[in-house]
């Protein structure tokens, strides 16, 4: 119960409320620089500067940079204006934050959160929502998110969420606590001369003689050998009988086949019948 209650608390700590996020991450000045980039390399460099992703050796920074680059490329291909591009970028960033806020599976919750964010930016109902996107753009953004981010949802979660480790200890009332085992002492180093003397002494000792078997053990051994011998004879007889029956059955089948083909000695062949 204690473990379940703590896991439930950890899950509930990841609640993120949807909000209007136009100009939250990208300002008009940032978008001026981003949309004026002429090459992909220049665009990647600009996004890295704006989003402060300078560590090229960090795998998480590389994944985020690729994710942000694809988001901006889609916004440009859809012909979004600055406000739409800023809102779309922040929506995808919040979706990623929701995904990586817990190590547990929250695929359905993250997609529901994504839809709530879209609604916040597709209906003109201030202060609850703003009409930034058109109906066509909402459909296009939904298809894009499903085919890119949510298709690789597990990959993002694996790369960005911490691993969960649970250490469990039990304590029973009235039972003394088991002391921790003491570390084993390190073996003492033996000089080569002493090691040779020990080996020589071990080699000079006579080998221990094997104890003689008692009369009871000998009787039991003889009984076992007799019983095993009779069982083996019975098994051998059954096998010989099975082989004999199988040979007889095969011989009968061969004879029947020869009779049907007229090949058995004393029978007339089909050619001789035709001559008559």
């Amino acid at each position: 119960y204690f473990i379940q209650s703590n896991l439930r608390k950890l899950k509930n700590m990841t609640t993120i409320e949807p909000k209007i996020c136009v100009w939250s991450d990208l300002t008009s000045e940032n978008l001026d620089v981003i949309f004026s980039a002429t090459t992909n390399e220049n665009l990647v460099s600009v996004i890295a500067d704006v989003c402060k992703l300078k560590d090229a050796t960090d795998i998480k920074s590389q994944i985020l940079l690729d994710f942000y680059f694809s988001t901006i490329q889609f916004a440009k291909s859809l012909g979004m204006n600055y406000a739409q591009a800023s809102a779309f970028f922040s929506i995808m960033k919040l979706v990623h934050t929701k995904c990586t806020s817990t190590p547990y599976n929250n695929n359905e919750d993250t997609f529901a959160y994504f839809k709530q964010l879209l609604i916040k930016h597709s209906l003109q109902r201030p202060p609850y929502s703003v009409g930034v996107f058109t109906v066509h753009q909402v459909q296009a953004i939904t298809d894009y998110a499903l085919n890119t981010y949510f298709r690789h949802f597990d990959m993002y979660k694996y790369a960005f969420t911490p691993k969960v480790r649970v250490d469990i200890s039990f304590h029973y009332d009235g039972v003394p606590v088991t002391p921790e085992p003491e570390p084993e002492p390190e073996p003492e180093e033996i000089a080569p001369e002493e090691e040779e003397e020990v080996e020589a002494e071990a080699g000079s000792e006579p080998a221990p003689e094997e104890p003689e078997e008692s009369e009871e053990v000998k009787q039991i051994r003889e009984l076992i050998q007799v019983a095993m011998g009779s069982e083996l004879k019975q098994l051998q007889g059954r096998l010989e009988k099975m082989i004999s029956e199988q040979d007889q059955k095969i011989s009968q089948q061969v004879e029947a086949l020869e009779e049907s083909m007229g090949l058995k000695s004393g029978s007339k062949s089909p050619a001789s019948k035709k001559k008559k």
Side-chain angles (χ1 to χ4, degrees):
Y1 174 77
F2 174 77
I3 296 174
Q4 291 180 351
S5 61
N6 280 274
L7 293 179
R8 197 178 300 111
K9 289 180 182 178
L10 180 60
K11 291 181 180 180
N12 294 334
M13 288 172 61
T14 61
T15 302
I16 303 175
E17 296 296 331
K19 61 181 181 179
I20 298 173
C21 52
V22 183
W23 313 120
S24 296
D25 298 290
L26 297 181
T27 63
S28 59
E29 291 80 8
N30 299 143
L31 290 168
D32 276 334
V33 180
I34 289 173
F35 275 74
S36 61
T38 56
T39 62
N40 291 339
E41 291 77 8
N42 189 12
L43 179 59
V44 170
S45 178
V46 170
I47 294 174
D49 292 336
V50 172
C51 300
K52 299 178 180 179
L53 299 173
K54 291 293 187 178
D55 190 1
T57 60
D58 184 19
I59 186 64
K60 292 183 180 180
S61 298
Q62 295 177 12
I63 296 173
L64 279 179
L65 189 58
D66 182 72
F67 171 55
Y68 294 156
F69 172 78
S70 301
T71 302
I72 293 298
Q73 284 288 77
F74 177 76
K76 293 173 68 175
S77 66
L78 205 60
M80 293 184 181
N81 55 36
Y82 282 7
Q84 292 170 344
S86 176
F88 173 60
F89 182 88
S90 297
I91 286 173
M92 297 304 296
K93 187 176 179 181
L94 286 172
V95 167
H96 177 70
T97 303
K98 176 72 173 179
C99 166
T100 58
S101 61
T102 173
Y104 300 98
N105 184 20
N106 61 342
N107 195 331
E108 295 181 0
D109 294 340
T110 305
F111 185 67
Y113 179 69
F114 166 73
K115 292 190 292 185
Q116 292 173 357
L117 287 172
L118 274 185
I119 293 173
K120 283 279 187 182
H121 297 83
S122 58
L123 297 174
Q124 189 64 27
R125 290 170 51 194
Y128 305 103
S129 61
V130 292
V132 177
F133 301 120
T134 64
V135 177
H136 170 70
Q137 288 176 333
V138 169
Q139 183 61 47
I141 291 171
T142 303
D143 294 340
Y144 169 80
L146 288 174
N147 293 325
T148 56
Y149 191 86
F150 287 99
R151 183 181 293 274
H152 304 96
F153 188 87
D154 293 338
M155 182 200 71
Y156 287 107
K157 179 169 287 294
Y158 177 80
F160 287 90
T161 55
K163 307 299 180 292
V164 177
R165 177 182 175 181
V166 180
D167 294 329
I168 302 175
S169 61
F170 296 95
H171 176 70
Y172 300 95
D173 295 336
V175 179
V177 180
T178 304
E180 295 184 359
E182 297 181 356
E184 296 181 359
E186 296 182 358
E188 298 180 358
E189 295 184 358
I190 302 175
E193 296 80 6
E194 297 179 0
E195 187 175 354
E196 291 178 359
E197 292 178 0
V198 171
E199 291 179 355
E201 292 177 358
S204 61
E205 293 180 357
E209 297 180 357
E210 296 183 358
E212 296 182 358
E213 293 183 349
S214 62
E215 292 296 329
E216 296 179 353
V217 175
K218 291 181 179 179
Q219 292 177 2
I220 294 172
R221 186 187 298 277
E222 291 176 359
L223 291 174
I224 294 174
Q225 290 177 353
V226 172
M228 291 294 294
S230 61
E231 289 290 334
L232 290 174
K233 288 181 181 180
Q234 294 178 6
L235 179 60
Q236 185 177 1
R238 287 197 295 268
L239 288 174
E240 290 177 354
K241 183 179 179 181
M242 290 174 60
I243 294 171
S244 176
E245 292 176 353
Q246 188 70 20
D247 291 341
Q248 186 177 1
K249 186 177 180 181
I250 293 173
S251 300
Q252 292 175 356
Q253 292 178 353
V254 171
E255 290 178 0
L257 182 62
E258 290 178 349
E259 288 180 358
S260 63
M261 298 179 63
L263 299 178
K264 192 173 181 180
S265 59
S267 62
K268 297 180 179 180
S269 63
S272 62
K273 290 180 180 180
K274 288 182 180 181
K275 289 180 181 180
K276 289 182 177 181

